[in-house]
């Protein structure tokens, strides 16, 4: 009887042991599954669920935007906005103005505070006028984004200029030449108002005899093309002329590589395809609007400005062609002064992303010096 009871207890113990081992295996599997489970991907940007084309990518221009087959544009950067007002760091005052109600063309203007003299704020009279065109590959960013609002505050304070930062329309909703046409209209609006108003900051504080055009990347491309147009179409309104043109890491490209430019076929093809997207195929990659090096020397001489400054960054794909631009302008017989500034070891428009970096501070000093010099 005792032996039988012992056998039953042994079987029961074995069964319990098997159940415990099985439970341990189940718990281990659950632990491993949870550990290796990947979180779900972020949801796709909202679209029109009734339109199947609203989720089909027509053109991927990452990291800037994605265009869907339905025509919907999803911008991946440069969409935030900040209001105008008084900048606490610099004392610069900004305001927004509408230039053309029919198209929405607008600008953000910047006015530096009175200069400090002998411990007191003193109004030193009329200031140079800067018309600035923002970058962003013609497809993102704005005169109202934090990136450019902060940069124009810094420039206006350091160089002591009245600045007009142009809010031109973007591709692909408005492909080139829309940005050029908007910029030309805004430039002439600034010139007319500096001459006779009614915009008071330009009329009362701006010095039209010291007019500067500037921009970074795509905006530098625009600034160059505005200066060329002024020289080939009879000048700006009222006979005004630009004192200087400042091109910051300009966006220029072409079919054939220049010295030092990448020869990688895939990389060059990427720039060609995205340029065609920006302009809807209207301008080839060798058109002078994107490749000024395709112009003969006689056309270079039409650039309407007394001075041109070109800045480049050492790690920028656009650096070699920007340097070739400066050399071609200098060698063309153009009757003006060419300056060049280079920052080693930095990428495209680094100074926007790292404004407090010593290299950015140094480049800002160069910019201010160019704009401040009579």
């Amino acid at each position: 009887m005792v032996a039988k009871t012992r056998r039953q207890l042994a079987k029961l113990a074995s069964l319990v042991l098997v159940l415990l081992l099985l439970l341990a295996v189940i718990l281990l599997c659950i632990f491993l599954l949870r550990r290796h489970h990947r979180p779900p991907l972020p949801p796709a940007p909202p679209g029109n669920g009734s339109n199947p084309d609203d989720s089909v990518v027509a053109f991927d221009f990452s990291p800037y935007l994605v265009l869907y087959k339905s025509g919907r544009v999803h911008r991946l950067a440069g969409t935030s906005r900040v209001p105008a007002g008084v900048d606490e760091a610099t004392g610069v005052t900004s305001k927004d103005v509408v230039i053309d109600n029919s198209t929405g063309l607008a600008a953000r203007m910047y006015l530096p505070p009175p200069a400090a003299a002998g411990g007191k704020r003193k109004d030193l009279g009329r200031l140079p006028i800067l018309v600035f065109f923002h970058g962003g590959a013609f497809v993102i960013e704005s005169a109202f984004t934090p990136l450019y609002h902060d940069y124009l505050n810094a420039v206006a304070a350091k160089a002591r200029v009245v600045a007009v930062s142009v809010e031109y329309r973007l591709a692909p909703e408005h492909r080139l030449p829309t940005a050029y046409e908007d910029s030309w209209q805004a430039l002439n609006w600034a010139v007319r108002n500096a001459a006779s108003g009614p915009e008071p900051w330009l009329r009362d504080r701006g010095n039209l005899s010291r007019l500067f055009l500037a921009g970074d990347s795509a905006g530098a491309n625009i600034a160059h093309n505005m200066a060329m147009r002024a020289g080939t179409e009879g000048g700006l309104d009222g006979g005004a002329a630009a004192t200087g043109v400042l091109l910051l890491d300009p966006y220029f490209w072409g079919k054939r590589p220049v010295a030092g430019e990448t020869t990688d076929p895939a990389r060059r093809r990427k720039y060609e395809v995205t340029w065609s997207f920006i302009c809807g195929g209207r301008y080839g990659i060798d058109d002078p609007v994107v490749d000024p090096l395709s112009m003969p020397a006689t056309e270079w001489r039409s650039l309407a400005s007394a001075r041109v400054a070109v800045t480049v960054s050492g790690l920028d794909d656009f650096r070699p062609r920007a340097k070739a631009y400066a050399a071609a302008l200098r060698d063309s017989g153009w009757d003006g002064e060419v300056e060049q500034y280079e920052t080693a070891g930095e990428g495209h428009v680094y100074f926007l992303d790292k404004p407090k970096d010593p290299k950015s501070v140094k480049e800002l000093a160069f910019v201010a010096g160019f704009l401040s010099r009579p």
Side-chain angles (χ1 to χ4, degrees), residues 253-258 261 268 272 285-286 291 294 321:
W253 201 248
K255 190 71 175 179
R256 290 177 296 279
V258 299
E261 206 170 62
R268 299 197 67 83
E272 288 188 42
I285 198 65
D286 283 330
D291 183 17
S294 66
R321 195 164 295 261

Side-chain angles (χ1 to χ4, degrees), residues 27-39:
L27 291 174
L28 180 62
C29 289
I30 292 173
F31 172 76
L32 291 175
L33 283 172
R34 285 182 176 176
R35 186 175 181 180
H36 292 283
H37 176 66
R38 292 183 177 182

Side-chain angles (χ1 to χ4, degrees), residues 131-138 166-170 176-184 186-187 213-229 245-247 250-252 275 289-290:
V131 179
F132 186 89
F133 310 100
H134 70 81
F138 296 98
V166 179
E167 176 71 352
Y168 57 86
R169 288 172 288 175
L170 302 176
L176 291 180
T178 300
Y180 295 144
E181 295 303 325
D182 283 354
S183 298
W184 181 250
L187 173 56
L213 315 182
D216 71 293
S217 191
N221 176 294
I222 293 174
H224 158 78
N225 280 293
M226 295 304 99
M228 290 301 302
R229 184 167 177 176
V245 176
L246 175 62
L247 309 180
Y251 173 8
F252 297 132
W275 170 253
V289 297
V290 68

Side-chain angles (χ1 to χ4, degrees), residues 191-249:
V191 165
R192 289 193 305 273
N193 278 273
S196 58
E199 210 307 302
W201 286 7
L202 289 168
R203 181 193 62 209
D204 301 335
R205 302 303 310 277
N207 182 353
L208 190 54
S209 68
R210 296 181 64 195
L211 172 67
F212 292 87
L213 315 182
D216 71 293
S217 191
N221 176 294
I222 293 174
H224 158 78
N225 280 293
M226 295 304 99
M228 290 301 302
R229 184 167 177 176
T232 57
E233 295 189 9
L236 300 170
D237 285 358
T243 299
V245 176
L246 175 62
L247 309 180
L248 307 170
D249 288 2

Side-chain angles (χ1 to χ4, degrees), residues 171-172 174-177 272-284:
H174 306 281
R175 299 182 192 269
L176 291 180
E272 288 188 42
V273 169
T274 52
W275 170 253
S276 181
F277 173 78
I278 291 164
C279 67
R282 183 185 181 100
Y283 306 108

Side-chain angles (χ1 to χ4, degrees), residues 64-88:
Y64 303 120
L65 61 75
V66 177
L67 173 67
Y68 292 88
K69 191 175 179 181
S70 64
R72 180 168 63 93
V73 177
H74 177 56
R75 287 187 166 80
L76 307 174
T79 59
S80 60
R81 300 290 186 269
V82 292
V86 179
D87 181 55
E88 292 184 4

